[in-house]
Amino acid sequence: RIRGRCRSGKRMGSVERVAKYLADAQALTSARPVGTGKVIAEMKKLQTWLRKHQDEALPDGSKAQLLTSVQTYYKIALRDPELKDPAFALVDDILKLPEGKLISGKSKKQCLKWIDALTGKAVDEDGGEVCEEAAATRLAVIDVDDEGRCTLMHEACGDTREAVEVGDGILRAAIKAAFETRDSLTVLVSGDSGEVLSIAEDGNRP
């Protein structure tokens, strides 16, 4: 089978390839039982692609897909010791990429926390990262689209929420402006309704 080509026979562009890496990551990690060898092989294939295309620039949507692919492998590695070293190598390669090309600077900061978790820091008694819901939860803003919808990430465990609507127009505009001008941004989200309540205090620092 010829790899790297779509059904029409044309070679995949980077946007299509990143989308396929995400689909493959989700399919492999959701299989029961998980094929550990196949997961490791796919992580290595993604690493090879990252190194080859590190100087290319992806649109924001594809950057988010790429980060989600890495996050998918990271999360399953927390539960499978055999996958921790390959996942560490993958996340470490993400950190070595030129900032703003395939991955954003904000995403790299999240990857640093994943490195800590994979090396044994910030984990619970069962070996997985703590991801508790409180009355109001702090979530990192990792993307804001043109309509003001946010992609949010739980910094403790890496869980993401996509296309989160911000009902208050003033708050939506403030989040969009802050995301574009600050190095990092966190918001407070209601643990019951999932509603974005405000910009968190630690997200107000430039």
Side-chain angles (χ1 to χ4, degrees):
R1 185 178 64 175
I2 298 175
R3 294 183 179 272
R5 295 181 184 272
C6 58
R7 290 181 179 179
S8 65
K10 295 181 180 179
R11 186 171 294 277
M12 285 186 184
S14 293
V15 170
E16 292 81 7
R17 172 52 65 188
V18 168
K20 189 174 188 306
Y21 278 131
L22 175 55
D24 290 346
Q26 292 172 335
L28 286 171
T29 57
S30 63
R32 294 294 180 269
V34 173
T36 301
K38 290 182 179 180
V39 172
I40 292 173
E42 189 66 19
M43 280 194 278
K44 290 181 177 178
K45 188 165 68 173
L46 178 53
Q47 282 182 272
T48 299
W49 187 90
L50 291 172
R51 293 165 184 167
K52 182 178 179 181
H53 297 269
Q54 61 181 309
D55 293 321
E56 294 183 17
L58 286 173
D60 290 344
S62 295
K63 288 177 183 175
Q65 287 184 326
L66 184 59
L67 181 65
T68 303
S69 298
V70 177
Q71 177 200 25
T72 300
Y73 292 124
Y74 152 75
K75 289 174 70 175
I76 196 169
L78 290 176
R79 304 192 299 269
D80 187 341
E82 194 173 345
L83 294 174
K84 280 195 174 182
D85 285 345
F88 178 94
L90 176 58
V91 178
D92 189 54
D93 274 2
I94 286 285
L95 291 171
K96 295 174 183 176
L97 294 174
E99 195 168 298
K101 297 284 189 177
L102 298 180
I103 205 80
S104 69
K106 295 180 179 69
S107 296
K108 282 193 171 186
K109 290 182 178 180
Q110 184 59 47
C111 288
L112 284 170
K113 296 178 181 180
W114 294 349
I115 287 287
D116 284 345
L118 289 167
T119 53
K121 300 178 183 177
V123 295
D124 64 20
E125 293 179 356
D126 297 322
E129 279 197 274
V130 178
C131 187
E132 298 178 349
E133 292 294 334
T137 304
R138 291 176 183 264
L139 300 178
V141 181
I142 61 173
D143 190 37
V144 180
D145 67 16
D146 293 338
E147 304 299 323
R149 291 185 294 263
C150 301
T151 300
L152 307 176
M153 180 177 290
H154 197 299
E155 293 187 318
C157 64
D159 285 346
T160 56
R161 304 180 188 181
E162 298 182 355
V164 176
E165 300 276 359
V166 182
D168 185 283
I170 295 175
L171 178 59
R172 181 168 60 249
I175 290 172
K176 195 171 190 299
F179 180 77
E180 292 172 351
T181 58
R182 295 173 182 166
D183 291 336
S184 63
L185 180 67
T186 57
V187 293
L188 287 176
V189 178
S190 170
D192 295 326
S193 66
E195 178 186 0
V196 178
L197 302 173
S198 66
I199 294 176
E201 291 183 5
D202 62 353
N204 287 329
R205 295 194 295 265

